[in-house]
Amino acid sequence: QVQLVESGGGSVQAGGSLRLSCTASGRTFSNYAMGWFRQAPGKEREFVSSIRWRDDRLIYAESVKGRFTISTDNAKKTVFLQMNSLKPEDTAVYYCAVAVSFGTWNYWGQGTQVTVSS
């Protein structure tokens, strides 16, 4: 089992920045990747960004490229999402997730609210 705890959400004005953190505990040694997803009101959950452990490959959704940066600490137990130039359409609940193997996100955090006002 893997437990995920997110923090760093909040309210900002458009153009502002926020940094989300997600710390994993439990069986973290065999994880494949960690990532961020978001879900806006009335919409489906969507992929934001991920980092693959074996080669540090980073992937971003087109909507956040150039504005968001995913990173991790040396122990690869905490993943960060630096969000710059935030837009109102970035408003959503942001979830951290862990994939034990390719193709499946197995564990999810509780979510943290990000609200961007115009």
Side-chain angles (χ1 to χ4, degrees):
Q1 290 289 327
V2 176
Q3 294 79 42
L4 301 171
V5 177
E6 300 132 334
S7 62
S11 298
V12 295
Q13 290 190 330
S17 299
L18 284 173
R19 189 190 196 208
L20 306 182
S21 299
C22 174
T23 299
S25 60
R27 293 178 60 86
T28 60
F29 57 89
S30 61
N31 292 338
Y32 175 80
M34 288 184 73
W36 290 95
F37 292 73
R38 67 186 182 185
Q39 187 167 19
K43 295 187 177 181
E44 293 187 354
R45 189 174 298 186
E46 64 175 2
F47 171 81
V48 175
S49 181
S50 67
I51 180 168
R52 186 168 65 187
W53 290 146
R54 72 167 187 261
D55 56 6
D56 292 335
R57 182 190 181 199
L58 309 180
I59 302 176
Y60 295 96
E62 285 296 326
S63 59
V64 305
K65 277 185 180 178
R67 300 187 299 121
F68 291 11
T69 302
I70 191 170
S71 62
T72 183
D73 64 348
N74 289 336
K76 293 188 176 181
K77 291 189 175 182
T78 298
V79 64
F80 306 96
L81 186 68
Q82 178 67 42
M83 305 185 295
N84 298 328
S85 302
L86 283 162
K87 304 175 181 180
E89 50 263 44
D90 294 318
T91 295
V93 177
Y94 283 70
Y95 297 91
C96 174
V98 163
V100 175
S101 59
F102 174 78
T104 302
W105 294 94
N106 305 91
Y107 301 99
W108 296 85
Q110 81 284 359
T112 184
Q113 177 71 46
V114 171
T115 303
V116 185
S117 58
S118 58

